[in-house]
Amino acid sequence: MPAHTTPGWEKWKKMEPHRLARYIDPGVIAEVFAAAPGSTARLSQVGGATRFELAANVYAHLEGFGLRYDATPIDFTGHSTGEQRVRSAWEVHEDGGSCLDLSLVYAGLCERVGLRPLLVILRDHTLVAVALATGVEDARPRLGPVPGEETLLRQGLPADDHSMRAQLLARLSRETPQAGEYVMVECTGVSATQRLGGPTARLTFAEAVSAGYDQLAGGDLRHLVDPTYFHLQAGKGITPYAVRPPEVAKASVEAELGPIGAGRLTEMLELVGVTAPPRWNLAGLRRLAPLVAGLPTPQEPLVADAVRDLTEALVTNEFIAGWMPHVLTTKAMRQALRPPGAAPAATPAALHTLGDYLEHIALHHRDGPAGLRRWLASFVVNLAVDAGMDLDVEPVRRWANELNMLVDINDVARTVRAQRENARARLIVSLHAAVADDWPESLVGWWLLDGKPSEPKKEDCEPSQRGLEAAVRRLLEWADDEIQDHEPGLELEQVDIAIPTGLLLRWQPEEAEIGGRLVQHHQVVTRWGDRLWRDTRHVRKRFKAILQAASDKPVLWLDSTVAADLDGVAATLRNGLPDQAIGLRFHPEGQETLLDTVLEQSPILVWPERGLEADGAAVAELHGCWPDVPRSLTDAYRTRREPLLARPLAGLRAVWDDEEWLRFCRSFAGPRAS
């Protein structure tokens, strides 16, 4: 939960653009930005002979606060990260904000003085269009809708997604902006911070208007939102979130080592004859450091290194607990634990608290102090980015400077952002033309960018494994070329292979020969191909329940005796707990009906490869990697041919039908190939 907000404050779900109106409370924003520092002018005194002049004067008023602009690129498409953190007006006042945050503040001030702002959401930027022909007083009698805007807006959102950009541009004037029906404003211009590809000086209102027009003309418009419309819909639930003023002082967070770190140090200190401190806090560790330095024992370097590393872990503990305590969940910490540049490994069962995770990092890192810094930076960056937190803030800089890891933070952040950028693109290959367990005579592929599928491409193939894999290679080349044409430099990493039940036990898609194994350079995820023509509502709810569960046993394992009773299996799936995936402890050779029965009800099914069983080591590793299973399986498959790197996890197969795949199935409208 962001600072200064009530418990109801949530991250913006990008697929619900209308809810941006909830982050605009004109009264609160006007209170926060009532008067700029050193100025006697108040917002209540801002006026103008025309709406254009009023918009300019509101801009000048906001400019007086010297706000900082966070220029970190933001993805507003809603299909990869799904949610975006929004700062409250108090946070923007204190620390600045993103283009979205600054636009929401400007829009709130405009609405407060009677102007009608529209939020203009591009793929990676936000602007505000201010209505010059109408104001709040025109919308209030009609509870929102304004005559003459029917072709642009309907119920506060675009009347036509395909024409909204052209419709809006037609209502602007590039040469004489005050003569248009709207004026487009680049709200980051109120800041003196470096803008992406732009100057460090603030923009005048005229410059901000010109920049706003150019951004819209050359940008990819995704959403258009009329917050005034939603604010006037009494009783419809679109009411602004409440916020509170900042506390005068934040309580400091003091951390102590837990049983993992304290236990290890106690053992080491006993070996060198040094007494443990009375408390395992920072003061205790810092007093301990000179006592273990230079001891005439072979263990001295190991003890000194452990004290130093656990001290840095404790500093990081206090930083995270004080800056972003609201992001700490078992799922988030498990996903953030992966060492930079390493394959995901099972999370030890003993890790529960934030301190446990950080002490584990301190005691298991490699490559000396540099390795520890990289792993701590990776842990913090992944936690923050997953939660939509801004890394360019004073608490992060202060912590990074204390541990001498500013470069590590920047390097990891750049890598994580590149990975998330590449996650925008993927290829779906469907084998739905297969009959029973025969090899198909054709495949169908779609490339997706930001969740939007291309037109399907049919690729004929010889009905054999070799012919199938050759067709996969051709579809991969096609998708890669198309994505490069749309977004030069974007890498296609994820390949989803939708396999019907009859072929699930015959083919390992990650091993497809495409001039090398497919898994070597791609994240390969197996989907259930027969899901395309089925109702996905039940499994969507089940998938959400599975991921939200905090159980240490995320999979319900069935042995061959239980699975032999298909009616019993079906009843268990219908009536049992909905928050567990299903696993088979045996290879279901010739039991396609069992697979159909399970997959009808469960979005996730795991089973061992032919000749193997789901033994304790494989199950423990799977549970430890949860819910990062598709990525963990890919990494395990990638190294399965290296004897020293082979892992038990590589012996498991899985169908993983996540929200992206289920969303695609729901919208699937193409005819089934013959």
Side-chain angles (χ1 to χ4, degrees):
M1 184 175 65
H4 323 322
T5 61
T6 65
W9 189 280
E10 299 176 353
K11 288 185 286 187
W12 170 47
K13 294 178 175 58
K14 300 177 188 176
M15 298 304 293
E16 300 179 348
H18 63 286
R19 291 193 176 274
L20 283 172
R22 299 202 67 179
Y23 302 95
I24 300 175
D25 187 327
V28 169
I29 295 174
E31 176 188 351
V32 175
F33 293 94
S39 172
T40 58
R42 301 185 63 82
L43 179 69
S44 58
Q45 299 170 323
V46 172
T50 64
R51 292 191 180 95
F52 183 86
E53 289 184 9
L54 185 55
N57 292 338
V58 170
Y59 179 92
H61 177 81
L62 187 58
E63 189 178 14
F65 288 84
L67 299 177
R68 187 187 65 82
Y69 167 43
D70 170 19
T72 302
I74 298 177
D75 168 27
F76 289 111
T77 58
H79 295 286
S80 51
T81 56
E83 294 181 328
Q84 170 65 36
R85 180 185 174 235
V86 176
R87 297 170 179 85
S88 71
W90 291 107
E91 290 178 291
V92 175
H93 183 273
E94 293 177 10
D95 301 321
S98 67
C99 58
L100 175 62
D101 301 321
L102 295 173
S103 295
L104 293 172
V105 167
Y106 180 68
L109 295 177
C110 285
E111 197 171 342
R112 183 65 172 180
V113 300
L115 296 170
R116 283 184 58 236
L118 300 184
L119 298 173
V120 181
I121 311 296
L122 306 180
R123 189 186 70 78
D124 54 4
H125 198 54
T126 305
L127 309 164
V128 171
V130 181
L132 302 181
T134 60
V136 173
E137 73 278 6
D138 299 294
R140 184 172 289 113
R142 301 172 178 84
L143 298 181
V146 175
E149 292 186 342
E150 295 85 354
T151 59
L152 178 64
L153 296 167
R154 183 181 298 124
Q155 296 181 333
L157 296 172
D160 182 353
D161 287 344
H162 299 292
S163 67
M164 61 177 171
R165 181 168 168 273
Q167 290 272 354
L168 186 54
L169 282 170
R171 288 169 164 78
L172 304 175
S173 174
R174 178 72 169 81
E175 302 304 323
T176 54
Q178 64 270 26
E181 295 179 38
Y182 291 89
V183 60
M184 192 67 59
V185 182
E186 169 59 81
C187 299
T188 66
V190 301
S191 164
T193 307
Q194 172 77 43
R195 281 170 291 282
L196 293 176
T200 56
R202 294 187 180 95
L203 302 181
T204 66
F205 184 69
E207 291 169 336
V209 168
S210 178
Y213 184 96
D214 292 342
Q215 287 273 13
L216 176 63
D220 183 0
L221 182 59
R222 295 303 177 97
H223 300 303
L224 201 59
V225 182
D226 180 0
T228 305
Y229 171 88
F230 293 107
H231 291 160
L232 293 175
Q233 299 302 298
K236 297 294 181 64
I238 307 296
T239 55
Y241 287 121
V243 293
R244 66 175 187 269
E247 299 168 359
V248 175
K250 294 181 180 178
S252 60
V253 177
E254 183 182 39
E256 293 192 30
L257 291 183
I260 295 175
R264 176 66 66 86
L265 267 189
T266 298
E267 294 173 357
M268 299 179 83
L269 292 175
E270 289 176 352
L271 291 175
V272 296
V274 174
T275 303
R279 291 184 61 194
W280 292 107
N281 57 5
L282 278 175
L285 289 179
R286 285 168 175 160
R287 283 196 296 269
L288 190 60
L291 298 179
V292 300
L295 288 173
T297 67
Q299 294 87 2
E300 181 273 329
L302 297 177
V303 180
D305 288 350
V307 171
R308 178 200 63 216
D309 294 346
L310 287 167
T311 299
E312 296 193 1
L314 212 52
V315 170
T316 304
N317 188 328
E318 293 188 354
F319 157 65
I320 294 174
W323 181 54
M324 52 178 178
H326 57 287
V327 312
L328 299 177
T329 65
T330 299
K331 175 184 174 183
M333 290 191 292
R334 279 185 172 183
Q335 291 180 323
L337 183 63
R338 178 177 183 172
T347 303
L351 304 189
H352 301 290
T353 68
L354 172 63
D356 291 342
Y357 281 83
L358 293 170
E359 290 161 32
H360 174 82
I361 292 172
L363 295 173
H364 293 86
H365 70 87
R366 298 179 180 179
D367 302 326
L372 175 61
R373 288 196 300 269
R374 285 194 298 270
W375 200 350
L376 289 176
S378 175
F379 187 78
V380 169
V381 168
N382 278 287
L383 279 177
V385 172
D386 279 342
M389 301 285 287
D390 175 15
L391 288 167
D392 188 19
V393 293
E394 182 57 32
V396 178
R397 289 191 289 270
R398 188 165 54 247
W399 164 73
N401 278 320
E402 182 175 355
L403 300 186
N404 192 28
M405 56 192 305
L406 273 175
V407 173
D408 301 281
I409 286 288
N410 291 335
D411 288 346
V412 172
R414 184 177 296 109
T415 299
V416 169
R417 286 168 181 149
Q419 290 172 345
R420 289 164 191 270
E421 178 71 3
N422 288 339
R424 294 173 49 214
R426 64 189 175 114
L427 169 66
I428 291 176
V429 177
S430 174
L431 281 61
H432 59 250
V435 178
D437 62 350
D438 293 334
W439 298 105
E441 295 183 359
S442 66
L443 309 180
V444 177
W446 299 260
W447 58 267
L448 287 80
L449 187 59
D450 299 327
K452 294 184 177 180
S454 68
E455 290 297 314
K457 177 177 176 59
K458 183 179 179 182
E459 191 70 42
D460 293 330
C461 61
E462 173 191 331
S464 66
Q465 180 175 341
R466 182 177 179 179
L468 165 64
E469 294 180 0
V472 170
R473 182 180 67 250
R474 293 193 294 273
L475 285 173
L476 188 62
E477 293 169 351
W478 162 73
D480 201 36
D481 289 343
E482 291 289 326
I483 290 168
Q484 287 296 315
D485 287 344
H486 283 76
E487 294 272 352
L490 193 64
E491 296 292 334
L492 172 60
E493 292 186 354
Q494 181 164 326
V495 180
D496 295 355
I497 309 289
I499 307 177
T501 306
L503 286 175
L504 278 174
L505 302 179
R506 291 191 64 188
W507 185 49
Q508 297 178 344
E510 72 279 357
E511 298 295 334
E513 280 293 335
I514 57 164
R517 299 161 68 212
L518 180 61
V519 74
Q520 287 302 114
H521 300 291
H522 296 87
Q523 178 83 14
V524 184
V525 183
T526 298
R527 314 294 194 182
W528 188 36
D530 293 330
R531 188 86 69 194
L532 284 169
W533 290 275
R534 299 171 192 258
D535 186 349
T536 63
R537 286 173 293 183
H538 172 73
V539 288
R540 289 203 308 271
K541 293 178 181 178
R542 190 168 190 128
F543 183 82
K544 185 175 182 180
I546 291 170
L547 287 203
Q548 289 178 342
S551 171
D552 59 354
K553 296 180 179 179
V555 181
L556 173 63
W557 292 95
L558 307 179
D559 60 30
S560 57
T561 303
V562 172
D565 179 7
L566 291 180
D567 291 338
V569 170
T572 298
L573 290 169
R574 285 195 302 269
N575 305 322
L577 294 175
D579 59 357
Q580 285 184 296
I582 302 300
L584 304 177
R585 291 195 177 275
F586 60 97
H587 181 75
E589 185 72 37
Q591 299 186 52
E592 285 77 7
T593 303
L594 171 62
L595 300 187
D596 278 332
T597 300
V598 174
L599 289 169
E600 283 275 7
Q601 299 291 326
S602 176
I604 300 172
L605 174 62
V606 184
W607 69 93
E609 291 185 355
R610 184 178 287 106
L612 299 177
E613 293 183 354
D615 59 16
V619 169
E621 188 172 5
L622 180 79
H623 289 184
C625 292
W626 202 270
D628 194 24
V629 172
R631 189 174 182 181
S632 298
L633 282 172
T634 291
D635 284 311
Y637 296 155
R638 193 169 286 149
T639 59
R640 72 197 315 171
R641 298 183 182 181
E642 302 292 331
L644 297 179
L645 300 176
R647 300 161 55 191
L649 192 63
L652 297 180
R653 314 292 309 161
V655 167
W656 190 274
D657 287 355
D658 59 15
E659 289 178 298
E660 284 190 328
W661 172 247
L662 296 174
R663 186 186 303 122
F664 179 81
C665 292
R666 182 177 57 187
S667 63
F668 183 76
R672 184 164 185 164
S674 58

